[in-house]
Amino acid sequence: MIGIIGAMDIEIEAVQKRIEDPVFEDIAGCAFACGHIDGVMVAAARCNPGKVNAALCAQIMIDRFSADQIINVGVGCSLSPQVAIKNIVVASDVCQYDIDMTAIGEPRGFIDGLNMIKIPTDPDISERLARIAINSGEKIHRGTVASGDIFIASKELKEKIVSEFSAICGEMEGGAIAHVAAANVNTPGCHAADHTMIALTDMIVHILSFFQFFHFPFCIIGSAFLFAGADG
């Protein structure tokens, strides 16, 4: 089962519309649609913005729907001059820039329990996402995506995140989803068929134009996490 999470309806509804004979369920404020895309079982959910909402949704994906892979999709704020509006960022790793335990000697962003700052995404799935975007004629970037419960709207905050984490994109959910995925790791799982990844391309094209009216750059992001064992 592949789980696909977007914070807002506009970020996930194109995926949900591709699901054949979907079954809908609302759990803890998250809206799930489950079924098949080209023979691949998926659960696509709107989690609502923010790290707690995203973490809640990710854990439900694991516990209720037995997802062994989660792909986070949505829009984010560009933190790099090279990342322009309508570009695509595929995360190589993610961090949480608003975790601050520097007062007790830990570096900013340090995740207690996981004992790391940046959580890597699954390289194989991330490469598939990147290849699909490139083959569709999209401009892509690879790098760190930084998450926090702040809507990034100031030059000062952008510069601080770049300075401390070398991030190229900022948003509000990916770091929390990665945190949950990493906390649930057991054994390597299998990789699902490419068809589901292809379906994501339609969603990318669908939602990018919605954000062109903002006065500072937004970009589409994709983060892929492989966290649980699977048999097939």
Short mmCIF file of all heavy atoms in Angstrom, two decimals, residues 1 25 27 32 43 55-68 70 180 183-184 186 227-228:
data_model
loop_
_atom_site.label_atom_id
_atom_site.label_comp_id
_atom_site.label_asym_id
_atom_site.label_seq_id
_atom_site.Cartn_x
_atom_site.Cartn_y
_atom_site.Cartn_z
N MET A 1 0.84 -1.20 0.00
CA MET A 1 0.00 0.00 0.00
C MET A 1 0.88 1.25 0.00
O MET A 1 1.80 1.36 0.81
CB MET A 1 -0.91 0.00 1.25
CG MET A 1 -1.52 1.35 1.60
SD MET A 1 -2.93 1.80 0.57
CE MET A 1 -4.23 0.87 1.37
N GLU A 25 -13.15 7.89 3.86
CA GLU A 25 -13.28 7.80 5.31
C GLU A 25 -12.58 8.99 5.96
O GLU A 25 -11.46 9.34 5.58
CB GLU A 25 -12.65 6.49 5.81
CG GLU A 25 -12.92 6.21 7.28
CD GLU A 25 -12.47 4.83 7.71
OE1 GLU A 25 -11.90 4.10 6.87
OE2 GLU A 25 -12.71 4.46 8.88
N ILE A 27 -11.00 10.33 9.38
CA ILE A 27 -10.47 9.85 10.65
C ILE A 27 -9.67 10.97 11.30
O ILE A 27 -8.72 11.47 10.70
CB ILE A 27 -9.57 8.61 10.47
CG1 ILE A 27 -10.30 7.50 9.71
CG2 ILE A 27 -9.08 8.09 11.83
CD1 ILE A 27 -9.42 6.32 9.35
N PHE A 32 -9.51 10.55 3.98
CA PHE A 32 -8.83 9.49 3.25
C PHE A 32 -9.70 9.00 2.09
O PHE A 32 -10.92 8.91 2.20
CB PHE A 32 -8.55 8.30 4.17
CG PHE A 32 -7.53 8.58 5.24
CD1 PHE A 32 -7.93 9.16 6.44
CD2 PHE A 32 -6.19 8.27 5.07
CE1 PHE A 32 -7.01 9.43 7.44
CE2 PHE A 32 -5.27 8.53 6.06
CZ PHE A 32 -5.67 9.11 7.25
N ALA A 43 -3.74 4.86 -0.64
CA ALA A 43 -4.59 5.65 0.25
C ALA A 43 -4.10 7.08 0.14
O ALA A 43 -2.94 7.38 0.45
CB ALA A 43 -4.49 5.15 1.69
N ALA A 55 1.67 14.48 11.13
CA ALA A 55 2.12 13.31 11.89
C ALA A 55 0.94 12.40 12.22
O ALA A 55 1.04 11.17 12.12
CB ALA A 55 2.83 13.76 13.17
N LEU A 56 -0.17 13.00 12.62
CA LEU A 56 -1.38 12.24 12.92
C LEU A 56 -1.81 11.43 11.70
O LEU A 56 -2.10 10.23 11.79
CB LEU A 56 -2.48 13.21 13.33
CG LEU A 56 -3.85 12.64 13.70
CD1 LEU A 56 -3.77 11.87 15.00
CD2 LEU A 56 -4.87 13.77 13.82
N CYS A 57 -1.82 12.07 10.55
CA CYS A 57 -2.24 11.40 9.33
C CYS A 57 -1.29 10.27 8.95
O CYS A 57 -1.72 9.19 8.56
CB CYS A 57 -2.32 12.43 8.21
SG CYS A 57 -2.96 11.79 6.65
N ALA A 58 0.00 10.53 9.09
CA ALA A 58 0.99 9.50 8.73
C ALA A 58 0.85 8.27 9.61
O ALA A 58 0.94 7.13 9.12
CB ALA A 58 2.39 10.08 8.84
N GLN A 59 0.63 8.45 10.90
CA GLN A 59 0.49 7.30 11.78
C GLN A 59 -0.79 6.52 11.49
O GLN A 59 -0.80 5.28 11.55
CB GLN A 59 0.52 7.74 13.24
CG GLN A 59 0.72 6.58 14.23
CD GLN A 59 2.05 5.88 14.03
OE1 GLN A 59 3.10 6.51 14.05
NE2 GLN A 59 2.01 4.56 13.83
N ILE A 60 -1.85 7.23 11.12
CA ILE A 60 -3.08 6.55 10.72
C ILE A 60 -2.84 5.75 9.44
O ILE A 60 -3.33 4.62 9.30
CB ILE A 60 -4.22 7.57 10.51
CG1 ILE A 60 -4.62 8.20 11.85
CG2 ILE A 60 -5.45 6.89 9.88
CD1 ILE A 60 -5.57 9.37 11.72
N MET A 61 -2.09 6.33 8.51
CA MET A 61 -1.74 5.60 7.28
C MET A 61 -1.08 4.26 7.61
O MET A 61 -1.36 3.24 6.99
CB MET A 61 -0.77 6.43 6.44
CG MET A 61 -1.40 7.52 5.64
SD MET A 61 -2.17 6.88 4.13
CE MET A 61 -2.49 8.42 3.27
N ILE A 62 -0.19 4.29 8.60
CA ILE A 62 0.54 3.08 8.97
C ILE A 62 -0.36 2.10 9.72
O ILE A 62 -0.43 0.91 9.39
CB ILE A 62 1.76 3.45 9.84
CG1 ILE A 62 2.74 4.31 9.03
CG2 ILE A 62 2.45 2.19 10.36
CD1 ILE A 62 3.81 4.97 9.87
N ASP A 63 -1.06 2.59 10.73
CA ASP A 63 -1.83 1.71 11.61
C ASP A 63 -3.12 1.21 10.99
O ASP A 63 -3.48 0.04 11.15
CB ASP A 63 -2.14 2.44 12.92
CG ASP A 63 -0.92 2.72 13.76
OD1 ASP A 63 0.11 2.05 13.55
OD2 ASP A 63 -0.98 3.63 14.61
N ARG A 64 -3.82 2.08 10.30
CA ARG A 64 -5.15 1.75 9.80
C ARG A 64 -5.11 1.17 8.39
O ARG A 64 -5.87 0.25 8.05
CB ARG A 64 -6.03 3.00 9.83
CG ARG A 64 -7.49 2.78 9.42
CD ARG A 64 -8.25 1.93 10.42
NE ARG A 64 -9.66 1.91 10.13
CZ ARG A 64 -10.56 2.73 10.67
NH1 ARG A 64 -10.17 3.64 11.53
NH2 ARG A 64 -11.84 2.65 10.36
N PHE A 65 -4.22 1.70 7.55
CA PHE A 65 -4.21 1.32 6.14
C PHE A 65 -2.99 0.49 5.74
O PHE A 65 -2.84 0.13 4.58
CB PHE A 65 -4.31 2.57 5.27
CG PHE A 65 -5.57 3.34 5.48
CD1 PHE A 65 -5.58 4.48 6.27
CD2 PHE A 65 -6.77 2.91 4.93
CE1 PHE A 65 -6.74 5.20 6.50
CE2 PHE A 65 -7.94 3.62 5.15
CZ PHE A 65 -7.93 4.77 5.93
N SER A 66 -2.12 0.20 6.69
CA SER A 66 -0.95 -0.66 6.46
C SER A 66 -0.07 -0.17 5.31
O SER A 66 0.46 -0.96 4.54
CB SER A 66 -1.39 -2.11 6.20
OG SER A 66 -2.12 -2.61 7.29
N ALA A 67 0.09 1.14 5.20
CA ALA A 67 0.97 1.70 4.18
C ALA A 67 2.41 1.32 4.48
O ALA A 67 2.84 1.39 5.63
CB ALA A 67 0.83 3.22 4.13
N ASP A 68 3.15 0.91 3.47
CA ASP A 68 4.56 0.65 3.67
C ASP A 68 5.43 1.69 2.98
O ASP A 68 6.65 1.65 3.09
CB ASP A 68 4.96 -0.76 3.22
CG ASP A 68 4.46 -1.12 1.84
OD1 ASP A 68 4.35 -0.21 1.00
OD2 ASP A 68 4.18 -2.30 1.60
N ILE A 70 5.16 6.11 2.07
CA ILE A 70 4.38 7.34 2.11
C ILE A 70 5.05 8.38 1.23
O ILE A 70 6.26 8.59 1.32
CB ILE A 70 4.24 7.89 3.54
CG1 ILE A 70 3.38 6.96 4.40
CG2 ILE A 70 3.62 9.30 3.52
CD1 ILE A 70 3.19 7.44 5.83
N VAL A 180 7.61 10.48 11.68
CA VAL A 180 6.75 9.32 11.96
C VAL A 180 7.25 8.09 11.19
O VAL A 180 7.32 6.99 11.75
CB VAL A 180 5.29 9.63 11.59
CG1 VAL A 180 4.43 8.37 11.64
CG2 VAL A 180 4.72 10.69 12.52
N ALA A 183 10.35 6.68 12.78
CA ALA A 183 10.06 6.06 14.07
C ALA A 183 9.41 4.70 13.91
O ALA A 183 9.42 3.89 14.85
CB ALA A 183 9.15 6.98 14.89
N ASN A 184 8.86 4.41 12.73
CA ASN A 184 8.19 3.13 12.48
C ASN A 184 9.03 2.15 11.66
O ASN A 184 8.54 1.10 11.25
CB ASN A 184 6.86 3.38 11.74
CG ASN A 184 5.76 3.84 12.66
OD1 ASN A 184 5.04 3.03 13.25
ND2 ASN A 184 5.64 5.15 12.82
N ASN A 186 11.23 -0.80 10.39
CA ASN A 186 11.66 -2.13 10.83
C ASN A 186 12.57 -2.75 9.79
O ASN A 186 13.78 -2.69 9.90
CB ASN A 186 10.48 -3.05 11.21
CG ASN A 186 9.35 -3.04 10.20
OD1 ASN A 186 9.58 -3.16 9.00
ND2 ASN A 186 8.13 -2.89 10.68
N PHE A 227 9.31 3.01 4.98
CA PHE A 227 9.53 2.85 6.41
C PHE A 227 9.17 1.50 6.97
O PHE A 227 9.49 1.21 8.12
CB PHE A 227 8.73 3.91 7.18
CG PHE A 227 7.26 3.82 6.94
CD1 PHE A 227 6.45 3.00 7.68
CD2 PHE A 227 6.69 4.57 5.93
CE1 PHE A 227 5.10 2.93 7.43
CE2 PHE A 227 5.33 4.51 5.69
CZ PHE A 227 4.53 3.69 6.44
N ALA A 228 8.45 0.65 6.25
CA ALA A 228 7.97 -0.59 6.87
C ALA A 228 8.18 -1.77 5.94
O ALA A 228 8.30 -1.62 4.74
CB ALA A 228 6.50 -0.47 7.23
#
